[in-house]
Amino acid sequence: MLVCVFEWVGLAHEDVKSRGLSQVLVSSESEVQNDVFCNDLNLQSTPANLPPGIQKLDLSHNKLQNLTHETLAFHTTIHHLNLHSNKIQFIQPGLFKDMTNLKVLILSRNNLDVFALNKTKIGSLKAVESLDLSNNGLYTGMTDYFLGDSPAMTNLSLNGNSITKITKNAFCGSLALRKISLHNNVILEIEDGAFDLLDYLTELDLSKNSITCITDFNLSHLKWLNLSKNSLETFQTIDSEHLYELLYLDLSENKMPYFPVLPKRNKLEYLDVSRNHLRSVNNTGTVEELANFRGTILAHTPFRLITRYQDFSSLIYLDLSYNQIKSIPQTFICSMVMLEVLNVSRNCIESFFVNHEDILQNLKILDLSYNSLQNLSFGEKTLQSLKELFLQGNTLTTINPQTFQRLPGLRSLQLQQNNLKICIPQQIPVELPKKDHFYQDSPSCVFFYSIPALQFLYLSENNLRVLPANAFHNTPLKLLDLSLNPGLEIDPNSLSGLEHSLIHLLLKENNISQLNTDLSALSRLKYVDLSTNQLTTLPIWNKESSIESLNLQNNNLVTLEYNTVLVLERSLKTIYMGSNPLSCCSNIRFLHMVQRSAVVVPDIDTVTCVYVQDSEPVNIEKVTQDMCHTLDSRVITIIVTVVIALVLIVVLGLLSKLCHPRRRKHNSSFSA
């Protein structure tokens, strides 16, 4: 019985299965998609009763071992054949010769190494344009039995095999190839001329192999080359004036001590040299020799005309992260007129300067994080297109106070894990003045107001001691992270100017015992993190709240003010309250909010309260108002009893005093 599914136009594969149909029969061929799905059916042979006219046949994830004429040769209309994840170890030679419409053949994850051991060729694949032979245990020389006669092939995948060498004649029968993927093999050697005959080759993936050097790269037609995750120590292009079409080059995760020697004339847009052993961005000679060379150039050449050994005029993305680079000279980046992303994070850079407005004019993202920065300088009118700046993890202490005010397009600034102080404005003008005498111009602090586009500011772990008033005036922040600054003193007006912009406020782990800032003035504030502080009370909300998420974990909160909870619950969607010494019966409104409103408490399992003094904490979900009413009744009874006892004691005392004088008078009348 045939259990394959036939798909037709207008009816999805899942819909066919859900209706329990094993076949879909229609009278008109124009209505039929002719796609047959026999995947995941535990088949051990190709179904013998497949209908004629099939265009796509999916036999993946079965247990097929042999492909023969008897089962497939009659289906000459097939253009897409998927045999992925079977156990195929025999293909009858010439099986695909008459399949003149077959464009896509997927044979990945089979046992084709067994077939190749017999030194039998698969035969002609004249119509096949895309062939997938990945994960078949194939090693050097075995591909010859599959690629000998495939003149139309443009896409070839040999991923996940055991190929150690690319021979000169490996692709002689597939000269139309445009894309070759050899990812995750064991390639140690590429013979000279192995790819030279492939005039149409534009994409080549050699990632995750064991290649140690490329010393004569000459594939000028190639547009995309991935050599990541090899053991490359050298990448060098032949000395040529020929224009290379290469757009994408990935050399990441190798062992290169020097910068690659790229084509003199190129169109390169993407270059990744991250996770290598680069100590500098020089490609030849010592640092001192290159420094002397640059000095000669600088002495005799106008700055805007300085070019280096290589042309980077088309480069848009450059990643040099996770190396050992100590400096990025301006002579290296001056030709990068189109560069938008520069990542030099996780290096040993001590200084970074951009002092000329012609340099990095189009740069949008600059990542200098986790270096050893001591000096950072951006000249006036430089980096005018910069939107994201990453400086975290540098322990910066001293920079020009107006460094960030000079970046009009800056949208996101990451400054966590530094030692910067915030300057105190002496006067706040409507526009940024040209002179600095309005301000406390101290080189040990930096200004964060009047940065016109800044929306995201991260200042955690900066050892901040004071957050001054008006610190962010005229800066339209949406997110402000001041976490992990223990002992931070927050001025009541420190967030002035953020009333209509701030959405996220993070103040966790600051040892704050009392927050005097009026958060209700921040009309757009939605997410507040006050966790791991020493708060005993919440700030009073004087206006309607817009807060949707509030984190109060790990504080010293005993009672939440009734009016504050009343205001918050109108907008609140999520609240974190775990690890607080809450009183059960002093937070009736909070109990009501948690138990009966739509507010979600993700850490509800850790939210406990104390029912009576010195008792064990109980989960807040188990507390009821009746319990507290009963407790109140007991307390009232005890109080009434005590009061009555006190009244009786007072009355008895008064009666005792009244009776004592009468006894004295009675005794005196009978004296002798």
Side-chain angles (χ1 to χ4, degrees):
M1 176 181 178
L2 179 64
V3 290
C4 300
V5 176
F6 299 80
E7 189 175 85
W8 62 341
V9 173
L11 188 62
H13 183 197
E14 291 76 11
D15 294 334
V16 175
K17 284 185 174 181
S18 66
R19 297 182 189 187
L21 301 176
S22 61
Q23 297 187 45
V24 177
L25 302 176
V26 290
S27 57
S28 173
E29 289 186 3
S30 63
E31 294 178 309
V32 181
Q33 184 67 37
N34 291 330
D35 291 353
V36 179
F37 297 89
C38 298
N39 53 304
D40 293 292
L41 296 176
N42 207 30
L43 297 177
Q44 296 184 358
S45 61
T46 306
N49 54 347
L50 292 174
I54 298 173
Q55 293 182 13
K56 180 177 181 179
L57 176 59
D58 188 347
L59 289 164
S60 62
H61 297 279
N62 282 293
K63 296 182 179 180
L64 303 180
Q65 293 187 9
N66 302 314
L67 298 180
T68 63
H69 285 284
E70 287 74 20
T71 54
L72 278 177
F74 302 107
H75 301 287
T76 57
T77 57
I78 295 178
H79 69 82
H80 186 118
L81 178 58
N82 188 351
L83 293 160
H84 170 74
S85 287
N86 278 276
K87 297 182 178 181
I88 299 170
Q89 57 187 15
F90 175 76
I91 301 175
Q92 190 164 348
L95 174 64
F96 304 107
K97 181 180 63 174
D98 296 326
M99 293 187 181
T100 55
N101 293 305
L102 185 62
K103 305 294 183 184
V104 179
L105 177 57
I106 302 173
L107 289 165
S108 53
R109 291 197 180 277
N110 280 283
N111 300 324
L112 294 183
D113 56 327
V114 177
F115 172 79
L117 283 173
N118 295 322
K119 298 183 179 182
T120 304
K121 293 186 178 181
I122 196 173
S124 176
L125 298 174
K126 288 187 177 181
V128 175
E129 297 177 357
S130 179
L131 175 62
D132 190 346
L133 295 171
S134 58
N135 299 102
N136 270 289
L138 302 175
Y139 51 83
T140 304
M142 285 187 169
T143 56
D144 296 347
Y145 304 116
F146 301 93
L147 306 176
D149 188 9
S150 47
M153 191 179 299
T154 59
N155 189 347
L156 172 64
S157 177
L158 290 165
N159 296 338
N161 283 291
S162 301
I163 300 170
T164 59
K165 181 180 180 179
I166 305 298
T167 62
K168 185 176 182 178
N169 300 318
F171 308 108
C172 287
S174 312
L175 298 182
L177 279 170
R178 296 178 182 273
K179 179 179 179 180
I180 301 175
S181 185
L182 286 156
H183 168 78
N184 193 22
N185 276 271
V186 203
I187 298 172
L188 293 163
E189 181 183 356
I190 301 174
E191 284 190 355
D192 291 341
F195 301 104
D196 288 358
L197 296 177
L198 305 178
D199 293 335
Y200 303 101
L201 187 65
T202 57
E203 295 185 35
L204 179 58
D205 188 351
L206 291 165
S207 60
K208 202 173 182 182
N209 280 283
S210 303
I211 304 169
T212 57
C213 65
I214 302 289
T215 56
D216 55 354
F217 178 68
N218 64 344
L219 302 178
S220 59
H221 294 293
L222 207 61
K223 293 185 177 181
W224 193 95
L225 175 60
N226 190 348
L227 281 162
S228 64
K229 299 181 181 179
N230 276 276
S231 300
L232 277 176
E233 296 181 1
T234 303
F235 181 91
Q236 186 172 352
T237 308
I238 60 172
D239 189 7
S240 171
E241 297 297 328
H242 193 77
L243 178 63
Y244 279 68
E245 301 293 329
L246 193 63
L247 301 174
Y248 176 103
L249 177 58
D250 191 345
L251 297 169
S252 62
E253 297 190 53
N254 280 286
K255 300 178 180 179
M256 298 172 58
Y258 299 110
F259 195 80
V261 180
L262 303 172
K264 288 183 179 179
R265 299 181 60 210
N266 64 75
K267 299 180 180 180
L268 197 62
E269 296 180 355
Y270 179 103
L271 176 59
D272 190 345
V273 200
S274 63
R275 298 180 186 273
N276 274 274
H277 297 165
L278 301 181
R279 293 184 175 273
S280 73
V281 290
N282 308 315
N283 52 22
T284 58
T286 65
V287 175
E288 291 76 17
E289 289 171 346
L290 268 294
N292 292 333
F293 180 81
R294 291 194 194 97
T296 303
I297 294 178
L298 287 168
H300 298 91
T301 311
F303 193 89
R304 65 179 180 276
L305 298 178
I306 293 175
T307 56
R308 203 173 171 276
Y309 296 102
Q310 301 172 103
D311 179 18
F312 297 112
S313 58
S314 299
L315 201 61
I316 295 175
Y317 179 98
L318 175 59
D319 191 345
L320 296 168
S321 61
Y322 289 90
N323 279 286
Q324 302 166 33
I325 300 170
K326 293 185 177 180
S327 66
I328 304 291
Q330 292 188 72
T331 48
F332 174 71
I333 57 177
C334 64
S335 69
M336 301 179 185
V337 294
M338 301 298 293
L339 195 67
E340 295 183 2
V341 179
L342 175 58
N343 185 353
V344 289
S345 63
R346 304 280 180 175
N347 276 280
C348 309
I349 299 171
E350 296 180 355
S351 302
F352 188 86
F353 301 98
V354 179
N355 296 330
H356 199 283
E357 60 186 75
D358 289 341
I359 295 179
L360 301 177
Q361 290 181 341
N362 289 302
L363 194 68
K364 293 180 172 61
I365 300 174
L366 174 58
D367 193 342
L368 288 159
S369 61
Y370 300 101
N371 277 282
S372 303
L373 279 178
Q374 297 178 7
N375 298 300
L376 178 70
S377 175
F378 303 141
E380 292 188 14
K381 297 183 180 180
T382 61
L383 301 177
Q384 298 294 284
S385 299
L386 193 66
K387 296 183 182 299
E388 298 180 38
L389 178 57
F390 299 84
L391 292 168
Q392 66 268 32
N394 276 290
T395 61
L396 273 170
T397 56
T398 304
I399 59 175
N400 187 304
Q402 291 185 311
T403 294
F404 307 119
Q405 292 175 327
R406 292 173 175 171
L407 304 173
L410 189 62
R411 184 172 179 268
S412 177
L413 177 56
Q414 302 257 5
L415 276 169
Q416 55 268 44
Q417 297 178 0
N418 283 286
N419 285 304
L420 293 172
K421 296 179 181 178
I422 301 176
C423 292
I424 303 174
Q426 298 297 329
Q427 179 180 345
I428 298 180
V430 177
E431 296 181 357
L432 188 66
K434 296 181 180 180
K435 298 182 180 180
D436 294 342
H437 66 268
F438 291 94
Y439 305 98
Q440 174 188 321
D441 194 1
S442 168
S444 63
C445 67
V446 63
F447 293 127
F448 288 107
Y449 63 87
S450 295
I451 306 177
L454 188 61
Q455 297 182 17
F456 305 91
L457 176 58
Y458 301 85
L459 285 167
S460 63
E461 297 186 77
N462 262 276
N463 294 317
L464 291 175
R465 292 290 177 264
V466 178
L467 188 64
N470 305 306
F472 311 105
H473 191 81
N474 270 351
T475 298
L477 291 179
K478 290 184 178 179
L479 182 149
L480 176 59
D481 186 356
L482 294 163
S483 304
L484 293 157
N485 287 292
L488 179 64
E489 295 182 11
I490 302 175
D491 187 279
N493 296 315
S494 60
L495 303 180
S496 177
L498 302 179
E499 291 83 358
H500 304 295
S501 65
L502 195 63
I503 298 174
H504 298 259
L505 177 61
L506 288 78
L507 288 167
K508 64 181 179 181
E509 296 190 46
N510 282 323
N511 292 336
I512 300 172
S513 58
Q514 188 173 2
L515 189 61
N516 296 320
T517 303
D518 184 6
L519 297 183
S520 63
L522 304 171
S523 60
R524 297 191 62 194
L525 189 63
K526 292 186 177 181
Y527 308 96
V528 179
D529 190 345
L530 291 167
S531 62
T532 317
N533 281 289
Q534 298 178 12
L535 291 173
T536 56
T537 60
L538 289 181
I540 301 300
W541 264 260
N542 299 318
K543 302 176 182 177
E544 290 295 315
S545 170
S546 60
I547 295 177
E548 296 181 2
S549 177
L550 178 60
N551 193 336
L552 295 169
Q553 288 177 321
N554 294 301
N555 275 281
N556 296 325
L557 295 168
V558 176
T559 302
L560 303 181
E561 289 77 5
Y562 182 92
N563 291 334
T564 299
V565 175
L566 188 63
V567 172
L568 284 174
E569 70 175 339
R570 294 171 186 168
S571 62
L572 207 58
K573 295 180 180 179
T574 305
I575 186 169
Y576 297 82
M577 278 295 300
S579 301
N580 276 284
L582 293 171
S583 168
C584 295
C585 297
S586 299
N587 291 287
I588 300 301
R589 187 69 201 182
F590 175 69
L591 287 172
H592 181 273
M593 180 180 72
V594 171
Q595 296 175 355
R596 300 187 182 180
S597 71
V599 177
V600 176
V601 186
D603 63 341
I604 190 69
D605 292 339
T606 64
V607 182
T608 59
C609 61
V610 178
Y611 184 62
V612 292
Q613 189 174 6
D614 298 327
S615 66
E616 289 294 324
V618 296
N619 188 271
I620 201 166
E621 288 185 299
K622 298 179 180 179
V623 180
T624 65
Q625 292 189 19
D626 293 337
M627 292 167 61
C628 292
H629 290 325
T630 302
L631 180 62
D632 291 341
S633 300
R634 292 175 183 173
V635 172
I636 292 171
T637 302
I638 294 172
I639 292 173
V640 170
T641 303
V642 171
V643 170
I644 292 173
L646 290 173
V647 170
L648 289 173
I649 292 171
V650 171
V651 171
L652 290 173
L654 291 174
L655 290 174
S656 176
K657 289 182 179 180
L658 290 174
C659 293
H660 185 64
R662 291 178 181 176
R663 289 177 181 175
R664 289 183 61 187
K665 287 181 180 181
H666 179 74
N667 293 337
S668 63
S669 61
F670 289 97
S671 62

